[in-house]
Amino acid sequence: VPAFDLLRRDGPSQWVTAADLPVGELRENAEVVRTLYLISSTRKTQIYSLTIDKPDPCITWTEAMPATPEETQSFFDTIPKESAARRPKSIYKINVTVRERTEIEVDGKKQLRQMDLGLIERKLLVSAVNGGSAPVGLKGRVLGDVSFLSGSIEGRIDLGNSFPADQDWTKDVALLAERPGLDLSLDTVATTPNYLKVKLDALDPIDGRNHWRLRVTVPKGSVYTALPEGSAIVLNTTGPNPRRLRIPIRGQAYDRGTGPKL
């Protein structure tokens, strides 16, 4: 159990537990700053650090710093005067910034880096010296280039919680380019797990924009429980500034007694 509580502020006087840190939807050149508050009822001073499971130059954060007097007073105001709860001895904060794009320097030259299109799903870990650690899910979505017309819930493919393991199970997703001339290709190497059968077929254009059917099939006998964590279809846009579109996929098969015998 960490020696601190991890909160976020959802309004001038609303504080909630920060199991997740939502950053919303990001379009071109968007930048979002969210603040994590680290509250200790036992220590006046504390050294904190933050790490991320998949480093990305578009996701940065500050060093932990003391909360402002206004932030501290706002939190104190949430504690009823008659409450037995103790006032914290310290409140620190870390500002997390998520940018749709950023410039980095490689071998003395500036390079543009953009986040992948699709859902943002990162795992942050806040740690205190001799005080344990607490995980936080960074969640959001990068929009642009390609829209989902059908078959996907908020940029994710859901195969359901009980599809039969002894049958092929298929889901179709309709995709539409957001501008004329944009094309898509399937990245079979980055798509995982490798037993998924994935086809990307061109359909009739809509208002001059390319239109596709993405068909995903879980072959019978390939999975008897849930799809592995991190399962996703990866597509690439074409052109001078190609982007990756990562579409997470989830689902759970059930075995009707026809699975492999041990």
Side-chain angles (χ1 to χ4, degrees):
V1 178
F4 60 93
D5 291 316
L6 198 54
L7 303 180
R8 71 171 194 262
R9 195 177 177 187
D10 281 358
S13 59
Q14 185 175 4
W15 295 72
V16 296
T17 301
D20 293 320
L21 192 64
V23 297
E25 296 180 339
L26 283 72
R27 283 195 173 270
E28 185 175 355
N29 291 315
E31 178 178 314
V32 176
V33 180
R34 294 288 183 263
T35 302
L36 289 169
Y37 293 91
L38 322 169
I39 299 175
S40 174
S41 60
T42 59
R43 303 182 184 186
K44 290 184 178 180
T45 60
Q46 180 64 67
I47 298 175
Y48 295 97
S49 62
L50 187 150
T51 56
I52 191 169
D53 61 337
K54 299 174 184 177
D56 188 323
C58 294
I59 303 174
T60 58
W61 53 87
T62 63
E63 297 289 334
M65 66 190 83
T68 66
E70 184 275 331
E71 291 166 326
T72 300
Q73 187 59 52
S74 171
F75 181 77
F76 285 167
D77 289 344
T78 66
I79 304 174
K81 293 182 179 180
E82 66 277 9
S83 172
R86 292 183 297 171
R87 287 194 171 195
K89 290 188 175 181
S90 65
I91 302 179
Y92 285 77
K93 66 178 182 178
I94 297 175
N95 293 325
V96 179
T97 301
V98 181
R99 299 176 177 87
E100 183 269 341
R101 63 186 62 195
T102 191
E103 277 194 344
I104 64 171
E105 188 169 306
V106 179
D107 297 329
K109 297 180 179 180
K110 297 287 187 179
Q111 291 187 2
L112 178 69
R113 291 291 176 87
Q114 292 177 276
M115 298 194 75
D116 289 346
L117 297 168
L119 294 180
I120 303 170
E121 297 179 316
R122 300 287 195 277
K123 295 179 181 178
L124 307 178
L125 187 69
V126 179
S127 301
V129 173
N130 298 322
S133 59
V136 185
L138 182 69
K139 298 181 182 294
R141 187 178 178 186
V142 180
L143 302 177
D145 288 350
V146 181
S147 299
F148 291 82
L149 296 184
S150 64
S152 173
I153 301 174
E154 298 180 348
R156 187 190 307 275
I157 299 174
D158 194 338
L159 299 177
N161 294 323
S162 58
F163 62 87
D166 61 341
Q167 296 180 17
D168 288 351
W169 197 253
T170 298
K171 185 72 174 286
D172 287 348
V173 177
L175 303 169
L176 178 67
E178 290 200 349
R179 65 176 186 274
L182 184 139
D183 208 350
L184 273 181
S185 63
L186 173 65
D187 189 334
T188 56
V189 174
T191 294
T192 182
N194 59 12
Y195 54 73
L196 293 176
K197 293 182 178 180
V198 185
K199 288 184 64 180
L200 182 67
D201 297 316
L203 303 177
D204 291 338
I206 298 177
D207 297 331
R209 295 175 290 165
N210 286 332
H211 176 208
W212 303 269
R213 180 188 64 200
L214 178 67
R215 173 162 290 176
V216 183
T217 300
V218 181
K220 64 180 180 181
S222 59
V223 60
Y224 291 89
T225 55
L227 289 173
E229 184 178 355
S231 297
I233 311 302
V234 178
L235 306 173
N236 293 317
T237 68
T238 60
N241 185 30
R243 303 282 298 274
R244 285 191 358 149
L245 169 59
R246 182 179 179 275
I247 309 173
I249 179 170
R250 65 186 176 191
Q252 176 144 356
Y254 71 93
D255 184 3
R256 297 193 293 187
T258 59
K261 305 300 182 182
L262 298 179

